[in-house]
Amino acid sequence: MSHLLEVKDLRTEFRQPTGTLHAVEGVSYHVDAGEIVAFVGESGSGKSVTQYSTLQLIPMPPGKITGGEIWFDGRNLLTEGQKSAALQSVRGAEIGVVFQEPMTSLNPVLTIGKQLTEGMMLHLGLNRTQARDRAVDLMEKVGIPDARSRLDAFPHQFSGGMRQRIMIAMALACDPKILIADEATTALDVTTQAQILELMKDLVEQTGTALIIVTHNLGIVARYASRVHVMYAGEIVESGPTREIFKAPRHPYTIGLLRAVPSLADERDRRLIPIPGMVSSQVDPPDRCAFINRCPYAVAECETEPRPVLQAVGTGHVKACHRDIDLQTTPVRQFEATARTEAAAAPSATTPVLEVKHLKVTFPTYGGFFKRKTGDLLAVDDVSLTVGKGETVGLVGESGCGKTTLARAVMGLQEVAGGQIIFDDRDITGLSPSQMRPLRRDISMVFQDPYGSLDPRQRAESIVAEPLGNFFPDMSAKARSERVKELFDLVGLNPDQRSRMPHEFSGGQRQRLAIARALASEPSLIVLDEAISALDVSIQSQVINLLEDLQARLAVSYLFIAHDLSVVRHISDRVAVMYLGQLVELTGWRQLYENPLHPYTKALLEAVPIPDPDDAANQRRIIKGEVPSVMNRPAGCAFSSRCPLATDRCRVDKPPLEGRGEAHEVACFAVQAGA
Amino acid sequence: MAGYVLRRLGQSVVVLLLVTLMVFFTMHALPGDPVTIFLGTTATPEQIAHYTEVFGLDQPLIVQYVKWLAGLAHGELGQSIALSKPVGEVLPGRIVVTLSFTLPALVLSVLVGTTLGIWSAMRRGRLADSVISAVASFGVAAPAFVIGILLILLLGVQLKWLSISGYTPITEDPVAGIKKLVMPVIALSFGQVGMFTRQTRSAMLEVIGQDYIRTARSKGLKEKTVIVAHALRNALIPIVTLMGMSIGGLIGGTVLIEQLFTMPGVGSLLMMSIMNRDYMVLQNIVFFIAAAVLAANFLVDILYGYIDPRIRLVRK
């Protein structure tokens, strides 16, 4: 039987100043009508380039497809040129693509109506009126309200989730046979992500379109895909039916990936087992297994043998490994301790390091002819929170909920409109920058983007030593350099690399550098603002483990801000959930995940896909609607516009955060009234 | 949008007033005065005093300034001492001469520059791109008068295709008129073409790397549609910005070009008036130049809104 799409031995290279980057190395796969196939792998694994190569959407030069066949509709697409009419009649018409970044994938200067209709007019031969009618139909189908009136709106007038819906409508415009979703939901909030994925799944079921999901999120794979291809360094290293890949993985990388990912279904005490090291360079690589430098199962044979080829280990299940590995195989190499470091002292919420009391932060809004101030936008609305000594408090919420604003207020980087911030029994609310300065020794911060938050022209050593010079001016040069080495050791960086520049480090190493900088002044509190969300899963787990070890040794407190509930669960002692500037629930991690009370917390937890195909949670229902803008926060309870339990009272009064059971606070009338 | 336009117009008027103020007082601070220069070394102190009074130059500066502004408001530009004529009679003809080669130069710079820039960006790294980039860099680096001299040597002296100087109104003799404009236009626009080429090339290259261009290609659109409908519009912002700035550059260039090709335009009048301390003429020229530059930049700002809807909304 011939497949809808069959790719054979695809090879894609990129010419670089240092050599040739082998981005895709002999990838073969097929897709049949109506099925959902997933490609998983970390950045640089070639999963996206593989998809773009199918449609020759990679920039050529420097890219070049050097080999393979791509059979679609009885034709080998690789025999057609990049700008050929034949390929243009496949793109968009037969194969639609939804790209990763909804913010940048739509043309900012053209109306969405224009962007939706141009493909239809070209491929389906519709006139303008017909195309606009069809665009409205599609927009309604993907869940955009007031479709007709919004046809002439521009992309920036839509939220990220809405833009991704428009992308999907665009990709579906000509009823394609295949829809490729390249990290289509990665940039979105969890609840929006779940809505978009459900939408695509429904479309596949209704129309028989085949769906290719490209993602690094194993939870998504487990929830939606029927078959999985695991990619590493440009190759498919394992592929098979989803259930088998998750339950009986046979390639060391797949096993490593599954162990590295924190899951909502985990025991919290489970130490994540990171995949050590990082991907070896794909620029003119030697002919041997690419995973060898990170593989706990590698033996001498792996060093000498050529690249392993895919071999069958079950029905439709193949893997590329010289050894016969499964979950039970004992590793031959150990890279890192597998047990959690025992904490020197139990975290104590009774000796608070940081107390935030009824904090309010507002931003002025401007309007009118002379841009006068017209009002205040309440970004953080009456939030109270404490962080104890040696404790980690997780702060979760979707984008725009005010979690970063709260962090900035704690750091004294944001003017406060009301309430108090008490640090180490001192009121630090509204301190001037010069008064705040000595305190910077005790509170430090790690930012989200390890690329943007380090000075690109400063050597690693000087980055870490800067706080030392600032806060310990009497320290001798020798002592300082000793301390820098010590800090490098502490965060698992090689001290010999301390004279390197930031760009010579990988993303994970840079984040370690940022952590070393944060630790240099021996702070008692570190605010981590999405500090690991930009990292690949295998690197994420390295950094999570590092943070946990450091806390156990140094009794430092963390305010850990993130949107990834699995990670927060893994690292936090207590978790605070924010929605539109308000704290809706605050409790210990176990209560929160086992017995969430607030409807929003429940919705958030239900939206997170679990990396286990059998998990019943994957069948749960998804909350509707989008997070409203803070400008349009509903009166009363902020969540009332989306809450299934909302009553008239919720739409008028704001529920206070009240105790409910032991150390469990929740802001919800329904919960407080009910059982 | 209307509010924005009004606010922006108000700003322009304020800037214009500041410019006139500055020019007026710096000019009067220069040593020498028009009457002495006009009358020559043989003039008696009585003659000088008489004419100084006739032209109102004995009045306090601030009074002269206000009088000039009041005159401007009524379209009364004052009297040129050196030319012994009303400025209103001299200036219009001069402006026509200058516009007759600056406007074509501007249009040429924009059209040729953007076309070459797009073409070059589409052939990035190939021979055509390298040649265009090299010539563009030469154009930016070489002063307009050097290009002018080279043109005179080549087209005028060596090949004798064009006469090397002078100006003939097109209304009098279209062919001769246009022939005499060719060299000034090329000399003036050469550097501008280079700037537009470079700006367009880099803007296009940046836009073409954007995600939405990949999206456009993924829809199966023809390459021409992708470039014209999707890429160019996004690349226009820096190009339009450059347009606003190049007006100033072009006007500055006219002074040299008019000297080089002996054309009776505003530039040569400006030079002459500085030599003669002909305050009235100078003041008015600077006023019109400033107004033209401000108007151009005002137009550019309005254009931004039409090109990019995001700017339109922010300034609502």
Side-chain angles (χ1 to χ4, degrees):
Chain A
M1 190 193 91
S2 77
H3 299 291
L4 181 57
L5 172 74
E6 186 159 20
V7 174
K8 289 180 185 165
D9 201 32
L10 180 69
R11 284 167 199 279
T12 304
E13 297 175 354
F14 287 90
R15 212 177 55 223
Q16 292 189 338
T18 48
T20 305
L21 176 90
H22 296 253
V24 180
E25 274 279 271
V27 164
S28 304
Y29 63 95
H30 68 264
V31 180
D32 289 321
E35 72 170 343
I36 302 181
V37 180
F39 281 80
V40 267
E42 298 176 271
S43 45
S45 65
K47 56 190 194 300
S48 296
V49 179
T50 301
Q51 305 310 322
Y52 298 160
S53 297
T54 319
L55 292 171
Q56 298 186 37
L57 284 174
I58 54 167
M60 297 196 261
K64 193 178 179 198
I65 299 174
T66 54
E69 293 165 29
I70 293 165
W71 289 95
F72 178 78
D73 218 8
R75 279 182 298 177
N76 179 2
L77 296 184
L78 279 190
T79 57
E80 311 288 350
Q82 186 178 25
K83 291 171 187 168
S84 67
L87 211 56
Q88 281 165 355
S89 70
V90 172
R91 289 189 200 131
E94 309 275 352
I95 303 178
V97 192
V98 181
F99 294 96
Q100 170 163 12
E101 271 295 334
M103 294 303 177
T104 56
S105 290
L106 294 173
N107 195 328
V109 302
L110 301 178
T111 64
I112 60 152
K114 159 88 178 148
Q115 296 186 59
L116 274 165
T117 51
E118 59 183 350
M120 300 173 199
M121 289 158 72
L122 180 73
H123 296 302
L124 304 180
L126 302 183
N127 65 30
R128 211 176 108 85
T129 323
Q130 291 167 324
R132 281 175 74 89
D133 286 343
R134 187 175 161 82
V136 171
D137 285 348
L138 279 166
M139 283 164 73
E140 278 164 0
K141 201 158 143 195
V142 297
I144 295 169
D146 308 325
R148 189 165 291 275
S149 64
R150 306 209 69 183
L151 213 48
D152 293 318
F154 289 93
H156 67 271
Q157 291 164 296
F158 293 86
S159 68
M162 282 296 154
R163 287 190 217 186
Q164 203 58 313
R165 284 169 203 265
I166 294 165
M167 265 309 296
I168 293 175
M170 210 178 280
L172 289 172
C174 303
D175 286 327
K177 299 193 177 99
I178 300 175
L179 184 63
I180 298 172
D182 178 27
E183 298 274 15
T185 58
T186 306
L188 305 174
D189 279 322
V190 268
T191 55
T192 316
Q193 167 179 314
Q195 289 169 4
I196 299 278
L197 284 163
E198 288 296 316
L199 169 71
M200 290 198 286
K201 186 180 138 215
D202 291 345
L203 289 170
V204 166
E205 281 166 5
Q206 287 162 20
T207 59
T209 306
L211 176 63
I212 299 177
I213 297 180
V214 179
T215 181
H216 67 278
N217 185 327
L218 290 167
I220 292 176
V221 176
R223 194 188 267 193
Y224 297 100
S226 59
R227 286 191 297 122
V228 188
H229 300 287
V230 182
M231 286 194 70
Y232 187 81
E235 291 175 288
I236 292 181
V237 292
E238 182 167 11
S239 69
T242 304
R243 210 176 164 280
E244 241 181 277
I245 295 290
F246 280 85
K247 296 295 173 187
R250 302 296 302 274
H251 192 280
Y253 177 64
T254 317
I255 295 174
L257 212 50
L258 287 167
R259 285 185 177 153
V261 178
S263 159
L264 281 185
D266 276 349
E267 265 308 301
R268 181 183 182 252
D269 296 348
R270 177 174 92 95
R271 185 183 168 89
L272 299 174
I273 305 172
I275 302 175
M278 46 178 173
V279 188
S280 54
S281 162
Q282 283 159 260
V283 176
D284 301 319
D287 183 22
R288 60 167 192 199
C289 174
F291 191 57
I292 189 161
N293 61 328
R294 307 174 77 185
C295 180
Y297 305 97
V299 292
E301 181 199 354
C302 304
E303 296 276 356
T304 51
E305 288 290 304
R307 271 178 185 250
V309 292
L310 286 168
Q311 42 186 284
V313 287
T315 319
H317 188 173
V318 291
K319 55 113 191 185
C321 178
H322 297 301
R323 296 194 61 198
D324 193 21
I325 304 290
D326 62 26
L327 281 173
Q328 273 71 47
T329 312
T330 321
V332 294
R333 292 198 280 180
Q334 185 117 24
F335 290 92
E336 217 186 312
T338 48
R340 282 174 84 110
T341 312
E342 279 304 309
S348 150
T350 48
T351 38
V353 171
L354 174 75
E355 284 178 89
V356 174
K357 290 181 179 168
H358 304 290
L359 187 74
K360 270 188 193 195
V361 178
T362 57
F363 292 107
T365 53
Y366 297 96
F369 186 76
F370 289 106
K371 304 260 165 182
R372 267 178 307 224
K373 189 176 154 185
T374 50
D376 281 312
L377 200 76
L378 205 48
V380 174
D381 181 8
D382 195 18
V383 168
S384 301
L385 188 71
T386 56
V387 182
K389 192 170 163 44
E391 188 187 35
T392 302
V393 173
L395 186 59
V396 282
E398 296 178 280
S399 50
C401 74
K403 51 192 195 298
T404 295
T405 309
L406 177 68
R408 289 175 54 86
V410 167
M411 296 294 300
L413 299 171
Q414 175 67 54
E415 217 175 292
V416 165
Q420 268 187 311
I421 301 166
I422 296 166
F423 179 76
D424 237 357
D425 297 328
R426 273 185 61 195
D427 189 341
I428 62 165
T429 327
L431 289 190
S432 70
S434 59
Q435 289 170 311
M436 194 66 201
R437 212 175 153 267
L439 278 162
R440 303 234 175 263
R441 195 192 136 175
D442 301 311
I443 316 177
S444 56
M445 191 159 182
V446 178
F447 302 89
Q448 170 164 13
D449 179 5
Y451 292 87
S453 58
L454 300 176
D455 183 341
R457 309 215 186 287
Q458 202 177 7
R459 295 198 181 277
E461 186 175 26
S462 142
I463 289 174
V464 176
E466 208 164 33
L468 297 175
N470 251 336
F471 298 113
F472 310 99
D474 302 333
M475 203 179 226
S476 72
K478 189 157 171 288
R480 197 181 302 165
S481 125
E482 282 307 307
R483 175 78 178 131
V484 168
K485 281 190 220 167
E486 208 179 291
L487 285 162
F488 266 68
D489 266 333
L490 198 61
V491 298
L493 285 172
N494 184 351
D496 295 340
Q497 299 177 348
R498 64 188 191 284
S499 60
R500 289 194 184 182
M501 304 300 274
H503 71 263
E504 296 176 83
F505 293 95
S506 70
Q509 286 176 321
R510 286 183 205 214
Q511 209 56 315
R512 284 169 192 264
L513 207 54
I515 293 170
R517 173 174 63 181
L519 285 171
S521 60
E522 297 163 34
S524 43
L525 173 69
I526 301 183
V527 177
L528 299 130
D529 187 6
E530 298 274 13
I532 61 166
S533 46
L535 305 174
D536 267 322
V537 270
S538 67
I539 310 295
Q540 258 188 13
S541 49
Q542 293 175 8
V543 177
I544 294 174
N545 284 349
L546 170 68
L547 289 171
E548 287 178 342
D549 289 346
L550 289 173
Q551 185 169 57
R553 266 195 266 172
L554 309 171
V556 56
S557 308
Y558 296 139
L559 179 58
F560 190 90
I561 297 169
H563 66 278
D564 185 330
L565 290 151
S566 320
V567 171
V568 171
R569 176 194 144 100
H570 213 273
I571 199 167
S572 308
D573 297 299
R574 289 187 303 135
V575 182
V577 182
M578 274 185 89
Y579 185 80
L580 282 183
Q582 299 172 357
L583 206 58
V584 296
E585 189 160 3
L586 171 65
T587 183
W589 68 271
R590 190 182 288 279
Q591 287 97 305
L592 188 90
Y593 288 90
E594 286 175 4
N595 182 26
L597 292 179
H598 197 281
Y600 176 62
T601 315
K602 288 184 186 173
L604 265 185
L605 288 170
E606 281 175 14
V608 179
I610 308 235
D612 178 351
D614 291 346
D615 196 295
N618 279 342
Q619 311 305 325
R620 283 187 216 163
R621 48 186 292 274
I622 309 291
I623 185 172
K624 297 226 166 37
E626 289 214 318
V627 186
S629 145
V630 196
M631 315 266 277
N632 310 316
R633 179 195 287 120
C637 173
F639 191 57
S640 59
S641 62
R642 298 170 79 194
C643 181
L645 306 177
T647 61
D648 289 343
R649 186 185 172 198
C650 302
R651 288 183 256 275
V652 180
D653 296 331
K654 189 188 140 194
L657 194 67
E658 276 177 8
R660 174 94 200 152
E662 197 190 330
H664 197 157
E665 289 172 87
V666 60
C668 177
F669 292 128
V671 172
Q672 283 154 9
Chain B
M1 192 72 192
Y4 167 70
V5 170
L6 280 178
R7 215 173 17 241
R8 198 62 190 67
L9 262 177
Q11 283 172 8
S12 300
V13 170
V14 172
V15 172
L16 198 54
L17 275 177
L18 284 175
V19 170
T20 56
L21 202 65
M22 214 173 71
V23 169
F24 187 87
F25 286 99
T26 37
M27 239 163 24
H28 284 270
L30 283 177
D33 75 278
V35 177
T36 317
I37 294 171
F38 180 68
L39 294 176
T41 42
T42 54
T44 62
E46 289 72 30
Q47 284 174 310
I48 292 175
H50 172 70
Y51 281 103
T52 302
E53 208 188 314
V54 167
F55 288 109
L57 295 173
D58 56 339
Q59 288 166 324
L61 280 185
I62 189 74
V63 174
Q64 293 184 40
Y65 176 68
V66 173
K67 274 192 169 172
W68 170 50
L69 278 191
L72 262 184
H74 295 101
E76 185 57 54
L77 303 184
Q79 187 78 18
S80 162
I81 299 171
L83 301 172
S84 310
K85 271 185 195 170
V87 178
E89 262 174 44
V90 183
L91 213 46
R94 295 281 184 152
I95 289 176
V96 168
V97 173
T98 300
L99 285 182
S100 70
F101 69 96
T102 43
L103 275 187
L106 178 65
V107 173
L108 194 76
S109 307
V110 174
L111 289 184
V112 175
T114 44
T115 310
L116 283 179
I118 295 171
W119 206 67
S120 189
M122 293 302 101
R123 282 160 190 75
R124 183 189 196 168
R126 296 204 221 148
L127 183 67
D129 176 34
S130 310
V131 172
I132 291 173
S133 295
V135 174
S137 299
F138 173 73
V140 174
F145 75 87
V146 172
I147 305 289
I149 292 169
L150 285 177
L151 284 173
I152 291 173
L153 285 177
L154 183 71
L155 300 180
V157 179
Q158 283 292 319
L159 300 170
K160 300 197 191 308
W161 287 354
L162 300 167
S163 64
I164 55 168
S165 69
Y167 172 82
T168 310
I170 294 178
T171 43
E172 255 170 47
D173 181 351
V175 177
I178 289 174
K179 272 176 101 174
K180 284 192 174 159
L181 287 177
V182 170
M183 283 200 285
V185 167
I186 296 179
L188 190 58
S189 57
F190 201 81
Q192 303 286 332
V193 169
M195 285 202 313
F196 277 102
T197 305
R198 284 160 58 102
Q199 184 70 62
T200 308
R201 179 180 180 271
S202 70
M204 280 303 275
L205 283 179
E206 194 187 320
V207 168
I208 278 169
Q210 297 292 317
D211 290 348
Y212 52 79
I213 295 301
R214 189 179 56 195
T215 306
R217 292 205 170 112
S218 81
K219 283 191 268 190
L221 302 179
K222 292 189 177 61
E223 192 62 17
K224 213 175 112 190
T225 318
V226 173
I227 298 304
V228 176
H230 284 261
L232 188 56
R233 178 113 181 241
N234 280 286
L236 276 181
I237 290 276
I239 298 173
V240 168
T241 308
L242 185 63
M243 249 163 79
M245 294 193 296
S246 78
I247 305 274
L250 280 173
I251 292 174
T254 56
V255 176
L256 276 170
I257 295 294
E258 283 177 16
Q259 294 292 314
L260 191 63
F261 293 98
T262 50
M263 297 177 80
V266 178
S268 51
L269 180 63
L270 185 74
M271 286 302 289
M272 210 161 74
S273 312
I274 294 174
M275 298 300 176
N276 294 331
R277 304 285 184 276
D278 202 350
Y279 296 142
M280 267 306 166
V281 179
L282 257 178
Q283 267 153 237
N284 285 305
I285 291 178
V286 172
F287 175 82
F288 283 112
I289 290 177
V293 171
L294 281 170
N297 283 292
F298 177 66
L299 270 177
V300 162
D301 277 356
I302 302 296
L303 265 179
Y304 282 158
Y306 281 100
I307 295 167
D308 193 332
R310 286 167 298 182
I311 296 176
R312 206 179 307 167
L313 260 139
V314 170
R315 289 168 172 181
K316 165 176 63 175

